[in-house]
Amino acid sequence: MADVFHAHQDQFLQRWGHALSDQQRKVLRDIGRCRTAALGTHLERYDRCSYETVAFDSCRNRHCPGCQSSARDRWLLQQAASLLPVPYVHAVFTVPEQLAPLGLRNQRLFYSMLFRAVSETLLRIAADPRHLGARIGILAVLHTWSQNLQFHPHLHCLIPAGGLSPDNSRWIATKRHGFFLPVRVLSRMFRGKLLSFPKQSYRRGELCFPSKLTAVSVPHAFYSLLGTLRRREWVVYSKPPFGGPEHVLKCLARYTHRVAISNGRLISLENGQVGSRWRDSRHNKRSSTMRLEAAEFIRRFLLHALPAGFVKIRHFGLLANRNRRRALDLCRAHLRSATTDLSALLDPQQRSALNRACPQCRSGTLHVIAHSLAGQRVGTTPLTCAARIDSS
């Protein structure tokens, strides 16, 4: 990804620079400089054999494909303590393509509406005695892309297949073998909520309608759009409960820290075109190769730069931050289980990324003992430099 940005960002800026937000410019700059001398270097030492190496600094931008794997693995270890020994459900709530342009031009507001609509839908239907009659927990992750990098906002939700009774006296397991909650009921309530929130914002004058959306900015056209969407069935996808904590960790690893496209999907950069692998969902997820002009590839990638400071992983219900510890202790008491150390469930590649074993002796702990600014060197005599820093 950095090679594409580095080689073609000038061409991209000539065509699209006038339309970029500050956040998109930052993503473009950070990924292009990641792990290069432009960001500086640091000296690494392993305590077992004193092996030393100089490494380039990473950008740590959450949109950078190269910086997300270790952040994801550290986050997984933190989440392990919140997992319950019950099956989990994976549900996906998708925004219709007719509503996506409005979401793209009002990202911070629209993404917040999406989180609110999904969480209120799940919590309300789960609390209904006709379905489950329990308080549930939800972990929701925002994705904004399709396989071909077009704008396609949707939420992935991981939900324990059960919840606490309203009086907290017992754990209520799901009554359904195929699905956790009825998908059609979820779809229709989600549709109603996500259409009501933009209507309220429109009346308050909070929505932005740039040039391409001017036609729907007048009341008649705007309400007509919402009315058309209300008459259509919306897509909510829900898998049957699929397993316990060890399966949930693998599912979290796939969805939580993903960016629009990983470096592993890129296969070529030739003649100003970027080749990548993708799955065509409209043709039975058939694998094929997509080739895009480099400037268009960068434009599509930057569509998915989130607003600064926006939280894309959120917890609701029993997993909400304000009462998570107490609620989980109560759930475990009813389930007669204790907190389990799930670090052993990480695969060897994840454990290696976290432990950073010495490449020479395959053991020892990594310590960063010196930093340099961009354009400077860590020092010609690393041992002397390290001794000076340690003594201070």
Side-chain angles (χ1 to χ4, degrees), residues 114-328:
L114 180 56
F115 272 111
R116 182 182 171 191
V118 170
S119 61
E120 289 184 4
T121 295
L122 286 168
L123 293 173
R124 181 173 175 180
I125 293 178
D128 190 331
R130 293 174 297 176
H131 301 302
L132 185 64
R135 295 190 299 122
I136 62 171
I138 308 164
L139 185 153
V141 185
L142 173 67
H143 285 185
T144 63
W145 56 85
S146 62
Q147 278 277 308
N148 59 2
L149 297 183
Q150 297 287 15
F151 187 69
H152 177 61
H154 55 284
L155 280 191
H156 291 269
C157 299
L158 284 174
I159 313 158
L164 286 176
S165 62
D167 60 359
N168 293 333
S169 63
R170 61 193 177 97
W171 174 266
I172 301 177
T174 180
K175 304 173 185 177
R176 293 172 168 264
H177 298 291
F179 295 95
F180 175 50
L181 295 171
V183 174
R184 179 164 292 186
V185 177
L186 289 173
S187 173
R188 292 181 177 178
M189 183 175 289
F190 169 59
R191 177 184 64 190
K193 287 184 175 293
L194 193 56
L195 290 178
S196 68
F197 296 154
K199 184 183 293 187
Q200 296 169 12
S201 296
Y202 181 78
R203 291 171 178 168
R204 292 193 293 262
E206 297 172 346
L207 294 177
C208 174
F209 295 90
S211 56
K212 292 185 178 180
L213 293 176
T214 303
V216 296
S217 63
V218 296
H220 172 74
F222 181 77
Y223 292 125
S224 176
L225 172 64
L226 298 188
T228 300
L229 292 174
R230 190 176 296 276
R231 291 188 293 271
R232 296 184 177 181
E233 293 292 338
W234 287 28
V235 177
V236 172
Y237 173 74
S238 179
K239 291 182 178 180
F242 60 87
E246 66 279 4
H247 297 95
V248 178
L249 275 183
K250 295 178 181 178
C251 191
L252 286 173
R254 287 197 299 269
Y255 292 106
T256 54
H257 287 67
R258 286 181 63 180
V259 295
I261 187 170
S262 65
N263 286 327
R265 282 178 53 196
L266 302 180
I267 57 178
S268 65
L269 176 58
E270 299 174 347
N271 302 320
Q273 289 194 329
V274 180
S276 62
R277 288 186 292 269
W278 75 297
R279 295 191 311 274
D280 189 351
S281 59
R282 296 185 178 180
H283 295 87
N284 297 320
K285 295 187 177 181
R286 182 180 60 192
S287 297
S288 58
T289 299
M290 177 177 64
R291 298 192 182 279
L292 294 173
E293 183 186 4
E296 171 64 11
F297 175 84
I298 297 174
R299 184 194 73 83
R300 291 195 190 185
F301 182 87
L302 292 179
L303 287 177
H304 312 292
L306 297 175
F310 188 85
V311 180
K312 73 170 187 176
I313 305 174
R314 302 190 181 187
H315 301 79
F316 302 95
L318 299 178
L319 299 180
N321 292 331
R322 64 180 178 273
N323 63 352
R324 182 187 307 174
R325 180 175 298 179
R326 178 178 177 276
L328 290 176

